[in-house]
């Protein structure tokens, strides 16, 4: 039977398991060290949770094409691969939490429906930010399960981050530091909001106005970048132009460790992306499980074509095509 991912505010059991699973993965050594990943500084162990931080940084700095600019397109963002890449990441986090909880195959990742908070005026004291859930803002965060408490050896510790060159770097000179959140600090005046349900609906309802569009043009179009207009670009947060929207808007509003490529450092990252994936699933059910570009696209799009291997980077042999239908693995309690 497929897992059912539920709203974290409505599933206390999923909340408890998620917090416990994250804490255990943060303590589980992989047998590899920072030296194995070419991360400068003192040699320190790399823990399972922090692998996801490394993968996110690395994929975000690998350009497509390989001699291109990762700020135009990369192996995880700014192009059509954004949604299948992060779907695979969610599945791997989910499986690892199941494993670390003693092969608890009933655990499903919960999601944070940020559009509900957006509709409510983006309160900084919304339930998700209370100590009973994810804790609030701070430099460092000082409450909730991922707060930093002086002299507590079991503190939730940020060990790796994006360095000045964009590559993985050790936080706190190799000693680690507390988690940082700074709500709405990165916004111009008047933009201090989370996405609303209307923003989500606008992305889901997008239809190309070009003559004789192909069905897959709803998803993405040439040149498959931040400049492309389609559902993917609107959900990722590049259109309409003029300000960041939806996915990007949530990262910027939360601030702190959610801003750089090392954003999986904040466990809210996975709750956020679970909601992004929920929105994609709504689109797939409405318009068909389709994707573009296909394999007729030139090698300049290698890495994001439908049968190209997704690069976490890992050795997992999954492609965007494999990510189009996850119904045998999981479903959502409700779709936007």
């Amino acid at each position: 039977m497929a897992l059912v991912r539920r709203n974290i505010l409505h599933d206390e059991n999923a909340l408890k398991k998620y917090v416990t699973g994250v804490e255990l993965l943060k303590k589980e050594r992989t047998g590899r060290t920072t030296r194995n990943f070419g991360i400068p500084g003192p040699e320190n162990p790399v823990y399972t949770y922090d692998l996801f931080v490394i993968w996110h940084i690395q994929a975000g700095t690998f350009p497509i094409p390989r001699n291109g600019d990762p700020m135009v397109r990369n192996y995880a963002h700014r192009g059509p691969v954004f949604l299948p890449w992060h779907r695979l990441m969610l599945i791997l986090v989910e499986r690892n939490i199941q494993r670390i909880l003693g092969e608890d195959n009933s655990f499903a990742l919960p999601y944070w429906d940020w559009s509900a908070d957006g509709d409510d005026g983006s309160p900084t004291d919304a339930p998700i930010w209370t100590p009973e859930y994810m804790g609030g803002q701070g430099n460092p965060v000082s409450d909730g399960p991922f707060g930093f408490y002086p002299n507590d050896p079991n503190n939730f510790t940020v060990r790796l981050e994006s360095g000045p060159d964009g590559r993985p770097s050790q936080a706190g000179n190799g000693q680690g530091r507390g988690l940082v959140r700074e709500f709405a600090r990165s916004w111009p005046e008047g933009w201090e909001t989370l996405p609303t349900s209307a923003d989500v609906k606008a992305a889901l309802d997008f239809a190309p106005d070009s003559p004789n569009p192909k069905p897959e043009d709803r998803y993405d179009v040439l040149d498959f970048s931040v400049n492309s207009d389609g559902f993917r670009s609107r959900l990722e947060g590049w259109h309409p132009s003029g300000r960041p929207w939806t996915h990007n808007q949530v990262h910027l509003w939360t601030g702190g460790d959610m801003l750089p490529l090392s954003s999986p450092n904040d466990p809210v990252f996975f709750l956020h992306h679970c909601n992004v994936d929920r929105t994609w699933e709504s689109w797939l059910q409405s318009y068909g499980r389709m994707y573009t570009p296909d394999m007729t696209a030139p090698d300049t799009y290698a890495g994001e074509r439908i049968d190209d291997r997704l690069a976490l980077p890992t050795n997992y042999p999954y492609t965007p095509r494999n990510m189009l239908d996850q119904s045998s693995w999981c479903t959502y309690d409700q779709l936007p």
Side-chain angles (χ1 to χ4, degrees):
M1 182 179 296
L3 301 169
V4 180
R5 294 175 175 170
R6 305 180 188 279
N7 188 320
I8 195 168
L9 300 182
H10 303 158
D11 193 332
E12 184 178 351
N13 190 46
L15 165 65
K16 290 179 178 178
K17 289 184 177 183
Y18 180 64
V19 169
T20 300
V22 168
E23 290 173 339
L24 290 173
L25 292 178
K26 282 291 274 186
K27 297 173 183 176
E28 182 184 53
R29 297 193 182 205
T30 63
R32 287 174 280 183
T33 70
T34 50
R35 185 171 299 171
N36 296 134
F37 291 94
I39 300 173
E43 185 173 18
N44 280 310
V46 170
Y47 297 79
T48 301
Y49 186 92
D50 297 329
L51 282 176
F52 291 96
V53 177
I54 294 173
W55 289 339
H56 196 257
I57 295 172
Q58 290 180 332
T61 54
F62 287 179
I64 296 177
R66 290 298 292 137
N67 62 349
D69 181 353
M71 296 302 289
V72 175
R73 293 199 324 277
N74 61 60
Y75 273 79
H77 310 89
R78 298 172 173 263
V81 78
F82 166 71
L83 290 167
W85 190 94
H86 284 85
R87 174 168 280 188
L88 176 56
M89 193 183 202
L90 292 176
I91 291 172
L92 293 177
V93 168
E94 200 164 49
R95 286 178 173 173
N96 271 277
I97 291 179
Q98 291 176 346
R99 175 187 57 78
I100 203 84
L101 292 177
E103 302 300 336
D104 182 356
N105 295 325
S106 68
F107 171 75
L109 271 175
Y111 63 86
W112 165 38
D113 183 4
W114 28 256
S115 70
D117 289 343
D119 289 345
D120 196 32
S122 307
T124 59
D125 60 351
I128 191 71
W129 306 123
T130 60
E132 293 75 23
Y133 287 90
M134 295 293 106
Q137 63 179 318
N139 186 3
V141 172
S142 59
D143 66 349
F146 308 117
F148 193 83
Y149 305 98
N151 305 316
D152 184 346
N154 295 313
N155 270 319
F156 183 87
T157 303
V158 172
R159 302 186 184 98
L160 301 173
E161 59 190 1
S162 299
D165 60 357
R167 301 184 182 279
S169 173
Q170 297 195 58
N173 296 317
Q175 301 301 308
R177 58 170 174 78
L179 180 68
V180 178
R181 294 191 193 119
E182 298 176 305
F183 298 153
R185 297 282 182 90
S186 303
W187 288 94
E189 186 176 355
W191 285 12
E192 306 96 336
T193 60
L194 287 164
T196 65
S197 56
D199 295 326
V200 173
K201 185 177 188 300
L204 288 168
D205 290 348
F206 168 79
D209 60 5
S210 57
N212 303 313
K214 301 188 293 291
E216 58 268 26
D217 288 348
R218 273 186 177 271
Y219 180 75
D220 213 339
V221 293
L222 284 170
D223 61 349
F224 304 116
S225 71
V226 299
N227 299 314
S228 307
D229 197 4
F231 167 74
R232 185 276 309 170
S233 188
R234 287 169 178 260
L235 182 57
E236 190 174 0
W238 304 112
H239 278 276
S241 60
R243 61 175 287 185
W245 295 93
T246 40
H247 158 266
N248 290 344
Q249 193 172 353
V250 176
H251 279 276
L252 287 167
W253 188 91
T254 309
D257 278 305
M258 280 283 276
L259 291 176
L261 280 172
S262 51
S263 49
N265 271 319
D266 190 335
V268 166
F269 172 95
F270 295 104
L271 308 181
H272 164 37
H273 271 275
C274 200
N275 198 51
V276 172
D277 187 80
R278 183 175 75 106
T279 307
W280 184 32
E281 182 61 24
S282 179
W283 186 91
L284 288 166
Q285 291 191 25
S286 295
Y287 301 110
R289 298 190 182 276
M290 55 189 171
Y291 179 87
T292 190
D294 62 21
M295 298 309 290
T296 65
D299 288 345
T300 51
Y301 298 103
E304 56 190 353
R305 297 171 300 188
I306 192 167
D307 290 319
D308 288 334
R309 185 177 68 85
L310 292 167
L312 275 173
T314 68
N315 294 321
Y316 295 100
Y318 298 109
T319 67
R321 188 188 300 275
N322 298 142
M323 295 295 108
L324 294 180
D325 188 353
Q326 64 174 4
S327 58
S328 63
W329 172 256
C330 72
T331 61
Y332 288 95
D333 58 349
Q334 61 181 26
L335 298 175

